[in-house]
Amino acid sequence: MSSAIELINPKAESVRRAQALQRFGMQVNTTGAMGLANVVKGNLGPRGTLKMLVDGAGQIKMTKDGKVLLSEMQIQNPTAAMIARTAVAQDDQVGDGTTSVVLLVGELLKQADRYISEGVHPTVIAEGFDLAKKDALEFLDTYKRSTDLDREVLISVAYTSLSTKVHQKLAKKLAPDVVDAVLTIRPPPPAADAVGEDAFRAPIDLHMIEIMKMQHRNDLDTKLIKGLVLDHGARHPDMPKRVENAFILILNVSLEYEKTEVNSSFYYSSTEQREKLVESERRFTDAKVKKIIELKNLVCDQSTDSKAPPKSFVVINQKGIDPMSLDSFAKAGIIALRRAKRRNMERLQLLCGGVAQNSVDNLEESVLGWAGLVYEHVLGEEKYTFVENVKEPKSVTILVKGPNAHTIGQINDALRDGLRSVKNTIEDNCLIPGAGAFEIALSYHLSTRTKKVAKGRTKLGVQAFADAVLVIPKTLAANGGFDVQDAIVSLQEEYEASQENGGNTAVGLNLQSGSPMDPIVEGVWDQFRVKRQMLHSCSVIAVNLLSTDEILRAGRSSLKPEGQQ
């Protein structure tokens, strides 16, 4: 049967539903979804494999992060591109679950294809998916565990997320650092008598965690610094390399010769006049430097017989500092850093205290921050300045180390997901047992209770959804090297037995032995909002693809007359 669009435009390119959904036809939607799922299937879980991405310039990136893979991979199939965009949106919203979304959409269309090939209309399957999604979200609310979110539980959450991106030894090393970083920057709870806006706790801002990369040593040397690392050092050889008990002056003031804002000319008739001109230009900058040095002398002044540790002074400026000003600072024993990044200037205030100054007028001790230790670290031709031992850090730095760019990039992607997982858990104040436990429980719930409520052929859609969610534990078992059918049957039998005994036990897959385990006891946790977003996203996209009866090439180029380019 020819497409109706061909009556309007004989040159139109289209794919009919018979081709888009038929079991032995082109299967554009189903094939595209399953093809994309097969690409990312091997990446799921701690035992997943890596993918190597090579760009046009020959640059190599090795990753098992679904978001990186889907956003950088070249995808031409329209269905696969649509699913990839949905999965990337999932990562932007909640920070994880991209691979799960792709797998679940592919499996939903695969299960639907079984019934469509037997003559069931796609709309019937779609109605079943909608009913199953609604009941699945309600079941998720009853299945969540509201546990005490102490540091140990949060470390388990971070480890579960990190172990799917990096090797286990590194995940164990990074998990406590990730948790401590988030807890450090977490705003304090409101006062008991607070009212209005003050009664609400401010959200966690992960931008206050600086991730600094240093190609040095190996990946296990990555560490958390409750301070700030600046990717540049002092620009004068005579400045101190390490100071303690340092006052920090945060500036946004130009300490270098500046040209006038308007075009102007100066005429002189003798060398004395020229010297006066140069001296007056210099005097303008020197006056600013003098005020800073006077402030340093005021706050760092100590009697000779004082037993208190000596005080130091550090200037961190967002704008430039010229060589003569640097020389003046070096003679005064001041460390001066110029052209600091704006984001670091904001973090410095949260870290050290103090107030950033846009002028050197009226400088006083109250505008200064404080740090117990400031030192410079030289690595090859690169210089790094560490600001540590601060009193109340509200910003921290995770220093990522690795022998090469591939390792550093991989750790950076893993840290991003790990930080989001801890943040999500704290804000949700609940957890979902991991290792495929939720999917096993949901499949059982849909197959028994929800299917009884469904009427007529809608039951087929509900059953297809119940079968599709098992793709997560199936893939975990396959990637772990275990027999998929044996693993799933043992998990289902274990869960059914616990239900018959009236228990609410979570049953997940042990990836070391392939046998059932209790993920709550083992500390394997998933995040509530990730599962909620995953269920919502994949059912919506699957219903949309099932409702597609024709794929047309868009654009007006096909309306041009014959022979016209």
Side-chain angles (χ1 to χ4, degrees):
M1 178 182 173
S2 62
S3 171
I5 192 71
E6 293 177 11
L7 299 175
I8 307 169
N9 177 13
K11 295 171 61 182
E13 297 180 36
S14 67
V15 180
R16 292 286 296 165
R17 168 187 276 153
Q19 297 170 309
L21 296 173
Q22 220 177 41
R23 188 169 181 80
F24 299 106
M26 286 179 63
Q27 297 183 314
V28 173
N29 284 348
T30 307
T31 307
M34 290 172 58
L36 188 62
N38 287 332
V39 169
V40 300
K41 182 181 286 187
N43 298 2
L44 187 71
R47 305 285 287 272
T49 53
L50 291 169
K51 291 284 190 294
M52 181 184 289
L53 295 171
V54 185
D55 64 15
Q59 295 292 320
I60 294 173
K61 178 178 279 191
M62 299 181 71
T63 183
K64 57 194 291 193
D65 188 337
K67 191 252 183 183
V68 176
L69 196 61
L70 294 171
S71 57
E72 298 193 15
M73 201 167 52
Q74 292 183 358
I75 301 172
Q76 293 184 337
N77 184 289
T79 305
M82 184 179 177
I83 296 169
R85 281 196 290 269
T86 305
V88 171
Q90 156 106 4
D91 188 90
D92 294 338
Q93 290 288 323
V94 296
D96 207 352
T98 48
T99 308
S100 300
V101 166
V102 173
L103 287 175
L104 202 44
V105 172
E107 191 68 15
L108 284 169
L109 290 179
K110 179 182 176 183
Q111 295 296 332
D113 191 40
R114 289 171 48 203
Y115 294 103
I116 291 168
S117 64
E118 295 172 6
V120 180
H121 198 276
T123 308
V124 176
I125 304 294
E127 288 174 2
F129 282 179
D130 283 332
L131 177 62
K133 179 196 79 171
K134 183 181 176 182
D135 209 39
L137 292 172
E138 291 175 359
F139 177 74
L140 180 66
D141 281 327
T142 62
Y143 191 76
K144 67 185 181 184
R145 305 292 199 268
S146 297
T147 182
D148 182 23
L149 298 178
D150 56 12
R151 183 172 179 271
E152 292 302 318
V153 172
L154 291 175
I155 288 175
S156 297
V157 172
Y159 176 74
T160 304
S161 176
L162 290 167
S163 61
T164 63
K165 308 291 187 299
V166 293
H167 60 84
Q168 291 187 3
K169 194 173 180 181
L170 180 57
K172 282 185 179 178
K173 170 74 174 62
L174 294 178
D177 290 347
V178 165
V179 173
D180 291 340
V182 176
L183 293 179
T184 301
I185 66 162
R186 188 185 186 190
D193 57 349
V195 294
E197 291 184 1
D198 296 334
F200 294 96
R201 192 170 193 167
I204 298 170
D205 184 7
L206 293 181
H207 292 292
M208 289 303 104
I209 300 175
E210 168 83 347
I211 297 180
M212 177 63 67
K213 302 167 188 173
M214 185 184 287
Q215 192 164 323
H216 179 51
R217 304 186 72 173
N218 61 43
D219 52 2
L220 293 174
D221 292 309
T222 298
K223 62 179 180 179
L224 171 69
I225 295 172
K226 290 191 176 179
L228 187 65
V229 181
L230 304 168
D231 56 357
H232 51 86
R235 296 297 179 184
H236 195 286
D238 295 335
M239 284 182 179
K241 303 299 181 188
R242 178 189 178 94
V243 295
E244 297 180 0
N245 299 318
F247 289 100
I248 311 288
L249 176 60
I250 305 167
L251 282 181
N252 185 22
V253 177
S254 176
L255 295 176
E256 59 186 347
Y257 166 71
E258 290 186 356
K259 294 182 179 180
T260 55
E261 292 184 3
V262 295
N263 290 328
S264 57
S265 300
F266 297 93
Y267 298 95
Y268 48 85
S269 56
S270 64
T271 55
E272 290 81 6
Q273 288 179 348
R274 183 184 181 282
E275 287 173 0
K276 284 184 179 180
L277 172 65
V278 173
E279 184 182 341
S280 62
E281 287 177 339
R282 186 70 239 162
R283 195 184 306 126
F284 178 69
T285 303
D286 286 344
K288 298 180 190 176
V289 174
K290 185 179 179 182
K291 289 180 181 179
I292 296 171
I293 295 174
E294 287 174 352
L295 176 65
K296 182 261 182 186
N297 294 333
L298 176 67
V299 299
C300 297
D301 186 31
Q302 290 177 289
S303 59
T304 53
D305 57 347
S306 174
K307 294 183 180 179
K311 298 176 181 176
S312 309
F313 202 86
V314 177
V315 175
I316 300 178
N317 192 11
Q318 189 175 336
K319 293 185 179 176
I321 305 176
D322 64 20
M324 296 185 71
S325 300
L326 286 171
D327 192 54
S328 300
F329 285 137
K331 289 176 181 176
I334 297 174
I335 294 181
L337 281 74
R338 63 186 181 188
R339 306 209 185 281
K341 294 182 175 69
R342 182 178 175 181
R343 69 172 190 273
N344 287 335
M345 305 299 283
E346 295 171 2
R347 290 194 181 104
L348 271 170
Q349 295 176 70
L350 292 167
L351 190 74
C352 307
V355 182
Q357 299 295 300
N358 292 317
S359 169
V360 293
D361 299 327
N362 304 319
L363 289 179
E364 54 189 23
E365 188 173 349
S366 61
V367 304
L368 298 175
W370 184 89
L373 176 64
V374 178
Y375 65 95
E376 184 180 288
H377 177 78
V378 180
L379 181 64
E381 296 181 358
E382 300 290 332
K383 290 183 179 180
Y384 298 88
T385 302
F386 289 70
V387 181
E388 296 185 34
N389 298 352
V390 293
K391 292 176 181 175
E392 293 182 5
K394 295 183 177 64
S395 177
V396 296
T397 302
I398 297 178
L399 188 61
V400 178
K401 292 187 178 183
N404 49 55
H406 311 151
T407 306
I408 292 173
Q410 197 176 340
I411 297 172
N412 187 38
D413 294 335
L415 282 174
R416 180 181 174 278
D417 286 359
L419 292 168
R420 287 289 291 271
S421 69
V422 177
K423 174 180 180 286
N424 291 344
T425 302
I426 292 173
E427 292 179 348
D428 291 338
N429 201 28
C430 62
L431 287 165
I432 303 293
F438 169 69
E439 286 77 13
I440 293 291
L442 177 60
S443 178
Y444 178 82
H445 175 80
L446 293 174
S447 300
T448 54
R449 297 185 177 91
T450 310
K451 196 173 176 183
K452 291 178 182 177
V453 177
K455 296 179 181 179
R457 291 193 294 173
T458 310
K459 293 177 186 285
L460 300 176
V462 175
Q463 186 60 49
F465 200 102
D467 293 339
V469 293
L470 290 175
V471 70
I472 303 296
K474 282 180 180 177
T475 306
L476 288 173
N479 290 347
F482 307 112
D483 184 272
V484 174
Q485 300 304 327
D486 287 347
I488 294 300
V489 168
S490 62
L491 290 176
Q492 288 176 323
E493 288 176 348
E494 186 84 14
Y495 184 75
E496 287 171 11
S498 71
Q499 289 295 300
E500 289 170 2
N501 296 330
N504 192 25
T505 308
V507 180
L509 180 67
N510 188 329
L511 289 179
Q512 302 301 321
S513 62
S515 57
M517 67 158 184
D518 187 346
I520 299 174
V521 175
E522 299 293 330
V524 181
W525 297 102
D526 284 332
Q527 302 133 62
F528 172 75
R529 66 175 61 183
V530 171
K531 292 294 182 186
R532 184 183 60 193
Q533 183 78 11
M534 180 189 78
L535 288 171
H536 184 75
S537 297
C538 53
S539 59
V540 168
I541 197 84
V543 168
N544 283 339
L545 290 173
L546 284 174
S547 304
T548 303
D549 70 337
E550 195 161 359
I551 301 173
L552 309 174
R553 184 176 295 280
R556 300 182 60 86
S557 59
S558 58
L559 298 181
K560 292 180 180 177
E562 288 286 343
Q564 183 176 334
Q565 297 296 323

